[in-house]
Amino acid sequence: ENSLRKTSAPFSTNSYDAFISPNTLNLSTFTKLMKKLQEIHPEASRDKIVDALIEVRKTNKGILSGLPISFIVERTSVIL
């Protein structure tokens, strides 16, 4: 997991910055994805959702771009 974060955007105090990379999702898509996942899983913290998204990315050869949001939401929900 640490290696995934090192290859992402530079370190920041915001967990979404650690997740976003030029090869992954743009900020608008990430915001929509987070909003949808927070609606579905109100009990999950933002960090927990981000960790689940990182896990989905890891199982998809390190990328999320090109995947339908519905697929990402479904896979993330299974982890959460």
Side-chain angles (χ1 to χ4, degrees), residues 11-80:
F11 178 76
S12 171
T13 56
N14 295 323
S15 56
Y16 68 82
D17 287 339
F19 177 71
I20 294 295
S21 78
N23 300 336
T24 312
L25 297 171
N26 64 42
L27 186 56
S28 174
T29 302
F30 178 79
T31 302
K32 290 176 190 174
L33 187 56
M34 284 300 295
K35 183 178 179 186
K36 180 75 170 169
L37 288 165
Q38 287 172 328
E39 288 172 1
I40 296 170
H41 303 282
E43 76 289 350
S45 69
R46 181 178 180 85
D47 287 343
K48 183 84 170 166
I49 293 171
V50 170
D51 288 344
L53 285 166
I54 290 170
E55 186 65 31
V56 171
R57 181 177 73 177
K58 189 166 68 172
T59 61
N60 193 53
K61 302 177 185 174
I63 59 169
L64 292 176
S65 62
L67 295 175
I69 289 182
S70 60
F71 176 83
I72 298 169
V73 168
E74 177 185 321
R75 293 294 176 186
T76 305
S77 293
V78 168
I79 294 168
L80 292 171

